[in-house]
């Protein structure tokens, strides 16, 4: 029995149309790569560290990323990161959480710098980044997650969008029932268009 070509034999061709004109291997990268190359990817955050007394307590770090009215840009959150560091003096029970929320007001905020991830870029961020040692009031909760001691990192690839006049908050909170050193860290990574 002869071995006939299944596709496109000379006597009975099967007509196909090649619609993919890509001639090189496809390379797929997240939008952060291009934002980093163009100098539009930024980072900001901080740590709140306290030595708790014998009765323990909580340590909170809230970072608010806000896009001012009239900025002309939209912010896209790339990554949420941070963690909780615990150094216990005595046996203690630990609890931790991460809350992502929208808008709201911070108590006694301080301003944090935004750092461009492209070290050769002179671009500056339009975002205003603030820090507080308390959770925001009047905010709308988007997500709550329990945390264990240690670092966390969540890539969200621009799924949280902050147009002008809006803000997003990342609150990291840790609690001990007795004394010890406790530190909460919260960081945003975002790009701007």
């Amino acid at each position: 029995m002869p071995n006939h070509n299944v596709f496109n034999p000379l006597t009975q061709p099967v007509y196909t149309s090649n619609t993919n004109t890509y001639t090189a291997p496809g390379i797929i990268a997240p939008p952060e790569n291009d934002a980093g190359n163009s100098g539009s990817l930024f980072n900001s955050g901080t740590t709140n560290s306290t030595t708790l007394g014998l009765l323990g307590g909580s340590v909170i770090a809230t970072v608010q990323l806000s896009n001012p009215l009239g900025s002309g840009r939209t912010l896209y959150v790339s990554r949420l990161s941070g963690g909780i560091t615990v150094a216990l003096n005595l046996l203690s029970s630990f609890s931790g959480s991460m809350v992502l929320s929208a808008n709201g007001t911070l108590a006694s905020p301080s301003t944090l710098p935004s750092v461009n991830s492209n070290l050769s870029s002179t671009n500056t961020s339009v975002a205003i980044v603030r820090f507080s040692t308390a959770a925001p009031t009047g905010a709308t909760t988007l997500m709550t997650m329990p945390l264990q001691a240690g670092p966390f990192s969540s890539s969200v690839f621009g799924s949280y969008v902050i147009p002008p006049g809006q803000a997003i908050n990342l609150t990291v909170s840790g609690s001990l029932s007795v004394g010890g050193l406790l530190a909460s860290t919260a960081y945003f990574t975002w790009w701007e268009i």
Side-chain angles (χ1 to χ4, degrees), residues 3-183:
N3 187 8
H4 295 291
N5 293 328
V6 177
F7 294 103
N8 295 327
L10 294 176
T11 57
Q12 295 178 335
V14 176
Y15 294 100
T16 61
S17 176
N18 185 4
T19 58
N20 184 359
T21 59
Y22 210 77
T23 58
I27 298 172
I28 299 172
E32 292 87 344
N33 288 17
D34 188 50
N37 285 334
S38 65
S40 299
L41 187 68
F42 300 93
N43 304 278
S44 189
T46 192
T47 299
N48 182 19
S49 179
T50 303
T51 300
L52 301 171
L54 186 58
L55 299 178
S58 297
V59 176
I60 297 171
T62 298
V63 174
Q64 182 181 71
L65 176 64
S66 64
N67 189 355
L69 280 171
S71 70
R73 293 188 195 169
T74 300
L75 313 181
Y76 298 87
V77 178
S78 168
R79 182 181 308 262
L80 311 170
S81 59
I84 301 174
T85 304
V86 182
L88 301 176
N89 291 338
L90 302 168
L91 292 177
S92 173
S93 66
F94 166 79
S95 64
S97 68
M98 182 270 287
V99 177
L100 190 66
S101 59
N103 301 313
T105 304
L106 295 184
S108 304
S110 57
T111 303
L112 297 173
S114 300
V115 179
N116 194 318
S117 66
N118 184 334
L119 303 182
S120 66
S121 176
T122 59
N123 294 347
T124 58
S125 174
V126 298
I128 299 170
V129 186
R130 297 181 183 96
F131 166 73
S132 178
T133 58
T137 58
T140 303
T141 301
L142 303 173
M143 176 177 60
T144 301
M145 182 181 301
L147 293 179
Q148 296 181 347
F152 74 89
S153 180
S154 176
S155 295
V156 293
F157 304 113
S159 57
Y160 294 104
V161 180
I162 302 100
Q166 301 292 315
I168 192 167
N169 312 294
L170 177 60
T171 302
V172 177
S173 176
S175 298
L176 294 175
S177 61
V178 298
L181 176 65
L182 188 60

